[in-house]
Protein backbone atom coordinates (compact mmCIF):
# COMPACT_ATOMS: atom_id res chain seq x y z
CA UNK A 1 0.00 0.00 0.00
CA UNK A 2 1.18 3.52 -0.84
CA UNK A 3 0.10 6.25 1.58
CA UNK A 4 -0.35 9.84 0.44
CA UNK A 5 -0.62 12.71 2.91
CA UNK A 6 -2.47 15.91 1.98
CA UNK A 7 -2.68 18.15 5.04
CA UNK A 8 -4.49 20.84 3.02
CA UNK A 9 -7.06 18.92 0.96
CA UNK A 10 -9.31 20.79 -1.44
CA UNK A 11 -12.43 20.54 -3.50
CA UNK A 12 -11.11 21.25 -6.99
CA UNK A 13 -13.55 23.16 -9.17
CA UNK A 14 -12.78 23.56 -12.88
CA UNK A 15 -14.58 26.14 -15.03
CA UNK A 16 -14.17 26.05 -18.81
CA UNK A 17 -14.89 29.23 -20.80
CA UNK A 18 -14.59 30.01 -24.50
CA UNK A 19 -12.00 32.71 -23.83
CA UNK A 20 -10.89 34.27 -20.55
CA UNK A 21 -10.98 38.07 -20.79
CA UNK A 22 -10.22 40.25 -17.72
CA UNK A 23 -12.84 42.76 -16.54
CA UNK A 24 -15.73 41.00 -18.34
CA UNK A 25 -18.45 38.48 -17.49
CA UNK A 26 -18.15 34.90 -18.75
CA UNK A 27 -20.57 32.10 -19.46
CA UNK A 28 -19.15 28.88 -18.05
CA UNK A 29 -19.55 26.07 -20.58
CA UNK A 30 -18.48 23.21 -18.32
CA UNK A 31 -18.09 22.81 -14.56
CA UNK A 32 -16.15 19.95 -12.98
CA UNK A 33 -15.72 19.03 -9.30
CA UNK A 34 -13.04 16.65 -8.04
CA UNK A 35 -11.61 15.69 -4.65
CA UNK A 36 -8.31 17.55 -4.70
CA UNK A 37 -5.08 18.46 -3.09
CA UNK A 38 -1.76 17.12 -4.35
CA UNK A 39 -1.77 13.84 -2.42
CA UNK A 40 -5.32 12.98 -3.46
CA UNK A 41 -4.36 13.51 -7.10
CA UNK A 42 -1.30 11.31 -6.59
CA UNK A 43 -3.40 8.55 -5.03
CA UNK A 44 -5.91 8.56 -7.88
CA UNK A 45 -3.15 8.23 -10.47
CA UNK A 46 -1.51 5.45 -8.45
CA UNK A 47 -4.82 3.60 -8.38
CA UNK A 48 -5.12 3.96 -12.16
CA UNK A 49 -1.61 2.48 -12.44
CA UNK A 50 -2.75 -0.55 -10.44
CA UNK A 51 -1.34 0.31 -7.00
CA UNK A 52 -3.32 0.20 -3.78
CA UNK A 53 -3.37 3.71 -2.35
CA UNK A 54 -4.70 5.33 0.81
CA UNK A 55 -5.24 9.05 1.36
CA UNK A 56 -4.97 10.85 4.67
CA UNK A 57 -4.89 14.46 5.82
CA UNK A 58 -7.60 16.79 7.08
CA UNK A 59 -11.19 17.25 5.94
CA UNK A 60 -14.07 19.27 7.39
CA UNK A 61 -17.20 21.35 6.92
CA UNK A 62 -19.74 21.22 4.12
CA UNK A 63 -17.03 21.40 1.46
CA UNK A 64 -15.29 18.47 3.11
CA UNK A 65 -18.54 16.50 3.02
CA UNK A 66 -18.78 17.02 -0.75
CA UNK A 67 -15.12 16.03 -1.14
CA UNK A 68 -15.67 12.74 0.73
CA UNK A 69 -18.82 11.99 -1.27
CA UNK A 70 -16.88 12.43 -4.51
CA UNK A 71 -13.97 10.36 -3.15
CA UNK A 72 -16.15 7.47 -1.94
CA UNK A 73 -16.61 5.65 -5.30
CA UNK A 74 -12.94 6.11 -6.32
CA UNK A 75 -10.20 3.51 -5.73
CA UNK A 76 -8.07 5.41 -3.15
CA UNK A 77 -9.16 4.46 0.37
CA UNK A 78 -10.32 7.40 2.48
CA UNK A 79 -8.44 7.68 5.78
CA UNK A 80 -8.91 11.45 6.15
CA UNK A 81 -9.07 12.93 9.65
CA UNK A 82 -12.11 15.15 10.40
CA UNK A 83 -11.67 18.69 11.74
CA UNK A 84 -14.00 21.54 12.69
CA UNK A 85 -12.86 23.95 9.98
CA UNK A 86 -14.09 23.77 6.39
CA UNK A 87 -11.99 22.25 3.65
CA UNK A 88 -10.78 24.80 1.11
CA UNK A 89 -11.76 25.14 -2.53
CA UNK A 90 -9.52 25.67 -5.54
CA UNK A 91 -10.87 27.09 -8.78
CA UNK A 92 -9.21 26.49 -12.16
CA UNK A 93 -10.50 28.58 -15.07
CA UNK A 94 -9.61 26.97 -18.39
CA UNK A 95 -9.49 29.18 -21.48
CA UNK A 96 -10.70 26.87 -24.27
CA UNK A 97 -9.30 29.18 -26.97
CA UNK A 98 -5.70 29.05 -25.73
CA UNK A 99 -5.65 26.04 -23.40
CA UNK A 100 -4.25 28.26 -20.63
CA UNK A 101 -5.41 27.79 -17.03
CA UNK A 102 -5.84 30.42 -14.30
CA UNK A 103 -5.70 28.95 -10.79
CA UNK A 104 -7.30 30.42 -7.63
CA UNK A 105 -6.38 28.67 -4.35
CA UNK A 106 -7.91 29.30 -0.93
CA UNK A 107 -5.62 29.12 2.11
CA UNK A 108 -7.45 26.35 3.94
CA UNK A 109 -8.92 25.87 7.43
CA UNK A 110 -7.09 26.45 10.71
CA UNK A 111 -6.07 23.15 12.33
CA UNK A 112 -5.96 23.02 16.13
CA UNK A 113 -3.24 21.33 18.22
CA UNK A 114 -5.74 18.65 19.27
CA UNK A 115 -6.58 17.91 15.63
CA UNK A 116 -2.86 17.69 14.78
CA UNK A 117 -2.35 15.19 17.60
CA UNK A 118 -5.26 13.09 16.29
CA UNK A 119 -3.72 13.13 12.82
CA UNK A 120 -0.32 11.97 14.11
CA UNK A 121 -1.96 8.98 15.80
CA UNK A 122 -3.78 8.06 12.56
CA UNK A 123 -0.59 8.55 10.52
CA UNK A 124 1.46 6.21 12.69
CA UNK A 125 -1.23 3.54 12.42
CA UNK A 126 -1.32 3.84 8.62
CA UNK A 127 2.49 3.63 8.39
CA UNK A 128 2.35 0.04 9.67
CA UNK A 129 0.99 -1.16 6.31
CA UNK A 130 2.68 1.38 4.01
CA UNK A 131 5.33 0.50 1.42
CA UNK A 132 6.01 4.21 0.83
CA UNK A 133 4.53 7.56 1.78
CA UNK A 134 4.17 10.83 -0.15
CA UNK A 135 3.98 14.11 1.79
CA UNK A 136 2.36 16.62 -0.52
CA UNK A 137 1.33 20.24 -0.82
CA UNK A 138 0.92 23.29 1.36
CA UNK A 139 0.36 23.41 5.10
CA UNK A 140 -3.00 24.68 6.35
CA UNK A 141 -3.05 27.49 8.94
CA UNK A 142 -2.30 26.28 12.45
CA UNK A 143 0.19 23.58 11.41
CA UNK A 144 3.80 24.27 12.43
CA UNK A 145 6.29 24.83 9.63
CA UNK A 146 8.30 21.74 10.57
CA UNK A 147 5.31 19.41 10.17
CA UNK A 148 6.67 17.57 7.14
CA UNK A 149 10.05 17.15 8.81
CA UNK A 150 8.25 15.50 11.72
CA UNK A 151 6.33 13.19 9.38
CA UNK A 152 9.54 12.24 7.52
CA UNK A 153 11.25 11.35 10.81
CA UNK A 154 8.29 9.24 11.98
CA UNK A 155 8.26 7.31 8.69
CA UNK A 156 12.03 6.82 8.77
CA UNK A 157 11.77 5.45 12.30
CA UNK A 158 9.69 2.52 11.02
CA UNK A 159 11.58 2.05 7.76
CA UNK A 160 9.02 3.53 5.36
CA UNK A 161 10.56 5.49 2.44
CA UNK A 162 9.27 9.03 1.97
CA UNK A 163 8.77 11.39 -0.96
CA UNK A 164 8.46 15.10 -0.13
CA UNK A 165 6.64 17.48 -2.50
CA UNK A 166 6.17 20.90 -0.96
CA UNK A 167 7.81 24.33 -1.09
CA UNK A 168 9.29 27.17 0.96
CA UNK A 169 10.25 26.69 4.59
CA UNK A 170 8.35 23.36 4.91
CA UNK A 171 10.55 22.05 2.07
CA UNK A 172 13.73 23.40 3.66
CA UNK A 173 12.98 21.80 7.01
CA UNK A 174 11.61 18.65 5.45
CA UNK A 175 14.77 18.04 3.42
CA UNK A 176 16.87 18.40 6.59
CA UNK A 177 14.95 15.41 7.98
CA UNK A 178 16.43 13.29 5.15
CA UNK A 179 13.54 12.12 2.96
CA UNK A 180 14.31 9.42 0.41
CA UNK A 181 13.22 11.70 -2.42
CA UNK A 182 12.36 15.39 -2.81
CA UNK A 183 10.46 16.61 -5.89
CA UNK A 184 10.59 20.41 -6.16
CA UNK A 185 10.03 22.33 -9.36
CA UNK A 186 12.80 24.54 -10.71
CA UNK A 187 11.56 27.69 -8.94
CA UNK A 188 11.12 25.91 -5.60
CA UNK A 189 14.60 24.44 -5.93
CA UNK A 190 16.08 27.85 -6.72
CA UNK A 191 14.39 29.42 -3.69
CA UNK A 192 15.68 26.59 -1.51
CA UNK A 193 19.31 26.74 -2.63
CA UNK A 194 19.79 30.22 -4.09
CA UNK A 195 20.96 28.72 -7.41
CA UNK A 196 19.04 28.91 -10.68
CA UNK A 197 21.29 26.32 -12.29
CA UNK A 198 19.19 23.15 -11.82
CA UNK A 199 22.02 20.62 -11.56
CA UNK A 200 23.96 22.67 -9.02
CA UNK A 201 20.75 23.31 -7.05
CA UNK A 202 19.78 19.62 -7.07
CA UNK A 203 23.21 18.62 -5.78
CA UNK A 204 22.94 21.28 -3.09
CA UNK A 205 19.53 19.93 -2.04
CA UNK A 206 21.06 16.46 -1.69
CA UNK A 207 23.80 17.86 0.52
CA UNK A 208 21.09 19.42 2.70
CA UNK A 209 19.65 15.96 3.41
CA UNK A 210 17.54 14.57 0.54
CA UNK A 211 18.72 11.11 -0.53
CA UNK A 212 17.64 11.90 -4.12
CA UNK A 213 16.16 14.95 -5.84
CA UNK A 214 13.95 15.01 -8.93
CA UNK A 215 13.37 18.54 -10.18
CA UNK A 216 10.49 19.40 -12.53
CA UNK A 217 11.76 21.58 -15.39
CA UNK A 218 8.36 22.32 -16.94
CA UNK A 219 8.15 21.52 -20.67
CA UNK A 220 11.80 20.41 -20.60
CA UNK A 221 11.02 17.42 -18.41
CA UNK A 222 12.84 16.24 -15.29
CA UNK A 223 16.32 16.34 -13.78
CA UNK A 224 17.24 13.64 -11.26
CA UNK A 225 20.22 13.78 -8.91
CA UNK A 226 20.54 10.43 -7.14
CA UNK A 227 23.20 8.29 -5.44
CA UNK A 228 23.27 6.17 -8.62
CA UNK A 229 23.78 8.96 -11.13
CA UNK A 230 22.31 12.09 -12.69
CA UNK A 231 19.75 11.90 -15.48
CA UNK A 232 17.67 14.28 -17.53
CA UNK A 233 14.39 13.04 -19.03
CA UNK A 234 12.54 15.00 -21.72
CA UNK A 235 9.27 14.52 -23.62
CA UNK A 236 9.44 14.13 -27.41
CA UNK A 237 7.62 17.46 -27.91
CA UNK A 238 5.79 20.09 -25.83
CA UNK A 239 2.16 19.30 -25.05
CA UNK A 240 -0.62 21.84 -24.58
CA UNK A 241 -3.58 21.57 -22.24
CA UNK A 242 -4.36 21.87 -18.53
CA UNK A 243 -1.12 21.52 -16.52
CA UNK A 244 -2.96 21.20 -13.19
CA UNK A 245 -1.93 17.92 -11.61
CA UNK A 246 0.99 17.20 -13.97
CA UNK A 247 3.47 17.38 -11.08
CA UNK A 248 1.26 15.07 -9.03
CA UNK A 249 1.44 12.49 -11.80
CA UNK A 250 5.24 12.76 -11.66
CA UNK A 251 5.05 11.95 -7.95
CA UNK A 252 2.77 8.97 -8.62
CA UNK A 253 5.12 7.57 -11.26
CA UNK A 254 8.17 8.01 -9.02
CA UNK A 255 6.40 6.28 -6.11
CA UNK A 256 5.26 3.42 -8.32
CA UNK A 257 8.81 3.02 -9.63
CA UNK A 258 10.18 3.08 -6.09
CA UNK A 259 7.95 0.29 -4.76
CA UNK A 260 8.43 -1.74 -7.97
CA UNK A 261 12.22 -1.43 -7.70
CA UNK A 262 12.64 0.05 -11.19
CA UNK A 263 15.95 1.62 -12.24
CA UNK A 264 16.02 5.40 -12.33
CA UNK A 265 15.84 5.80 -16.15
CA UNK A 266 12.62 3.75 -16.23
CA UNK A 267 11.12 5.71 -13.33
CA UNK A 268 11.90 9.00 -15.05
CA UNK A 269 10.58 7.92 -18.45
CA UNK A 270 7.31 6.89 -16.82
CA UNK A 271 7.11 10.15 -14.90
CA UNK A 272 7.63 12.35 -17.97
CA UNK A 273 5.15 10.39 -20.11
CA UNK A 274 2.55 10.35 -17.35
CA UNK A 275 2.98 14.08 -16.70
CA UNK A 276 2.45 14.89 -20.39
CA UNK A 277 -0.57 12.59 -20.56
CA UNK A 278 -2.02 14.44 -17.55
CA UNK A 279 -1.72 17.80 -19.34
CA UNK A 280 -3.85 16.27 -22.08
CA UNK A 281 -6.56 15.14 -19.64
CA UNK A 282 -9.46 17.38 -18.57
CA UNK A 283 -8.77 17.42 -14.80
CA UNK A 284 -6.08 16.84 -12.16
CA UNK A 285 -5.81 13.28 -10.93
CA UNK A 286 -6.51 11.93 -14.42
CA UNK A 287 -4.37 11.12 -17.44
CA UNK A 288 -4.96 10.10 -21.04
CA UNK A 289 -4.01 6.38 -21.11
CA UNK A 290 -3.59 6.24 -24.89
CA UNK A 291 -1.32 9.29 -24.87
CA UNK A 292 0.71 7.78 -22.01
CA UNK A 293 1.30 4.53 -23.91
CA UNK A 294 2.22 6.45 -27.06
CA UNK A 295 4.58 8.86 -25.31
CA UNK A 296 6.40 6.42 -23.01
CA UNK A 297 8.77 4.85 -25.59
CA UNK A 298 9.52 8.29 -27.05
CA UNK A 299 10.77 9.91 -23.83
CA UNK A 300 14.50 10.64 -23.97
CA UNK A 301 16.50 9.83 -20.83
CA UNK A 302 20.15 10.93 -20.82
CA UNK A 303 22.71 10.23 -18.12
CA UNK A 304 24.44 13.52 -17.43
CA UNK A 305 27.25 12.68 -15.01
CA UNK A 306 28.11 10.76 -11.89
CA UNK A 307 26.37 12.06 -8.79
CA UNK A 308 28.47 14.33 -6.61
Amino acid sequence: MILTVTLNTALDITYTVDALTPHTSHRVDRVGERPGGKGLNVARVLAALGHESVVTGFVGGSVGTVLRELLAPLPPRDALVPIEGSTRRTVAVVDAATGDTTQLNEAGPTVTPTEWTAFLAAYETLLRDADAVALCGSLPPGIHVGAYAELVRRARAVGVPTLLDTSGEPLRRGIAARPDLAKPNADELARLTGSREPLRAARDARRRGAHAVVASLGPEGLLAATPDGIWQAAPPAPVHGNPTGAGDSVVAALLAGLVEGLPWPDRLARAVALSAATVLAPAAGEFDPAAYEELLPRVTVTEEAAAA
Side-chain angles (χ1 to χ4, degrees):
M1 177 268 280
I2 299 176
L3 176 64
T4 71
V5 175
T6 311
L7 296 178
N8 209 5
T9 57
L11 178 64
D12 286 346
I13 302 168
T14 302
Y15 293 151
T16 302
V17 299
D18 288 336
L20 181 62
T21 306
H23 315 300
T24 64
S25 297
H26 296 78
R27 183 176 297 278
V28 178
D29 297 322
R30 295 191 300 278
V31 179
E33 288 187 333
R34 297 287 189 279
K38 295 178 73 64
L40 271 71
N41 295 336
V42 170
R44 289 168 59 200
V45 174
L46 281 168
L49 293 174
H51 286 271
E52 180 188 1
S53 56
V54 175
V55 296
T56 191
F58 296 110
V59 67
S62 59
V63 176
T65 298
V66 174
L67 184 153
R68 298 191 95 160
E69 290 172 350
L70 292 171
L71 185 61
L74 300 177
R77 178 161 66 86
D78 178 355
L80 296 168
V81 176
I83 60 173
E84 285 294 323
S86 183
T87 297
R88 67 187 178 129
R89 294 159 297 184
T90 69
V91 178
V93 183
V94 179
D95 184 325
T98 65
D100 292 337
T101 300
T102 300
Q103 191 78 17
L104 306 172
N105 298 329
E106 296 179 1
T110 298
V111 177
T112 68
T114 299
E115 290 165 342
W116 174 244
T117 299
F119 169 78
L120 290 176
Y123 177 69
E124 293 202 331
T125 298
L126 290 166
L127 284 175
R128 296 171 190 168
D129 297 318
D131 298 311
V133 58
L135 307 170
C136 303
S138 62
L139 298 178
I143 298 295
H144 66 94
V145 74
Y148 283 135
E150 182 176 357
L151 299 183
V152 169
R153 287 192 293 267
R154 289 181 182 239
R156 285 178 55 84
V158 293
V160 178
T162 54
L163 184 154
L164 179 63
D165 183 16
T166 187
S167 60
E169 191 62 20
L171 174 63
R172 186 183 307 278
R173 297 200 187 192
I175 279 182
R178 298 187 295 154
D180 294 83
L181 176 60
K183 194 218 71 67
N185 61 36
D187 287 340
E188 291 162 351
L189 192 58
R191 288 194 293 270
L192 172 71
T193 65
S195 173
R196 289 215 161 261
E197 201 288 303
L199 178 54
R200 178 180 299 174
R203 284 175 161 162
D204 187 357
R206 287 198 63 219
R207 285 191 289 268
R208 292 167 184 255
H211 188 66
V213 175
V214 175
S216 296
L217 305 179
E220 297 178 12
L222 301 172
L223 173 70
T226 82
D228 302 319
I230 295 175
W231 289 272
Q232 187 152 355
V239 294
H240 302 284
N242 181 2
T244 306
D248 305 330
S249 289
V250 169
V251 171
L254 294 174
L255 283 169
L258 170 66
V259 300
E260 293 173 26
L262 295 180
W264 275 104
D266 291 346
R267 299 187 205 183
L268 296 169
R270 276 191 185 184
V272 168
L274 198 60
S275 175
T278 299
V279 173
L280 297 172
E286 300 177 0
F287 64 94
D288 183 324
Y292 172 61
E293 295 296 336
E294 191 273 332
L295 287 164
L296 182 56
R298 299 171 57 212
V299 174
T300 301
V301 183
T302 306
E303 187 166 10
E304 299 294 325

